[in-house]
Amino acid sequence: MAKKSKKQQQPGGTPATVALTTAGVDFTVHSYDHDPAHPSYGEEAAEAMGVSPDRVFKTLVADVDGTLTVAVVPVAGQLDLKALASAVGGKRATMADPTLAERTTGYVRGGISPLGQRKRLPTVLDESASSHPTICVSAGRRGLEVELAPEDLAKLTEAVLAPVGRA
């Protein structure tokens, strides 16, 4: 597994790493060889990095009353759609169409980052993130994660912190 700190980050990078660099946020890039046969992108990332699955967060796109909304939850659990709707003042949430999620965020499924999306979407970060000094989220490509403070992620994405993940 290769690691790069923000100061070693190559120019260009992904939209997520560019957004972090532009914001002056401390972060670490973790890369690993992605196995397309692995059944879970998030669990694969946790295993490859040797990080507890409760510190690796997946980025999911849902439709809340007609508005695409991002949920960032631990890979060790699932998204509670009812809690997500409630967190953003909605009534009903369903998972977004994958093609629409990819087109709207500018990322491919399994590599959607909450950072540097093509269109800024309302974002909810599971409150369990705040119990860790750092968490890992997709850097915008399968096999690439960024580790950063959850407060920085919440600030950059203007995320609401709410209990939207469940075991």
Side-chain angles (χ1 to χ4, degrees):
M1 166 186 69
K3 274 182 145 179
K4 292 181 186 175
S5 73
K6 136 178 122 157
K7 292 172 181 43
Q8 298 168 319
Q9 183 68 31
Q10 298 297 320
T14 67
T17 59
V18 169
L20 288 165
T21 301
T22 300
V25 169
D26 286 331
F27 67 97
T28 303
V29 173
H30 299 273
S31 62
Y32 58 92
D33 292 327
H34 166 63
D35 176 4
H38 201 288
S40 167
Y41 298 119
E43 289 176 13
E44 176 191 28
E47 291 167 11
M49 294 185 302
V51 175
S52 172
D54 64 338
R55 280 193 48 231
V56 179
F57 283 64
K58 56 189 169 186
T59 306
L60 302 171
V61 181
D63 180 321
V64 179
D65 299 334
T67 300
L68 290 182
T69 303
V70 173
V72 185
V73 298
V75 301
Q78 296 180 344
L79 171 61
D80 181 334
L81 288 165
K82 196 176 242 185
L84 175 64
S86 177
V88 294
K91 293 183 182 190
R92 185 168 187 273
T94 58
M95 292 307 298
D97 172 71
T99 303
L100 180 59
E102 289 179 342
R103 188 172 45 240
T104 304
T105 64
Y107 294 116
V108 298
R109 195 168 47 153
I112 294 178
S113 177
L115 299 156
Q117 295 181 356
R118 184 176 290 151
K119 179 181 178 190
R120 183 180 288 244
L121 300 173
T123 302
V124 180
L125 175 60
D126 185 67
E127 67 181 8
S128 68
S130 59
S131 66
H132 304 287
T134 61
I135 61 171
C136 299
V137 297
S138 176
R141 201 170 66 222
R142 295 174 189 154
L144 198 65
E145 296 277 314
V146 289
E147 182 176 353
L148 73 164
E151 303 80 36
D152 290 334
L153 177 63
K155 182 179 177 184
L156 290 173
T157 60
E158 298 178 6
V160 171
L161 262 68
V164 294
R166 64 174 181 226

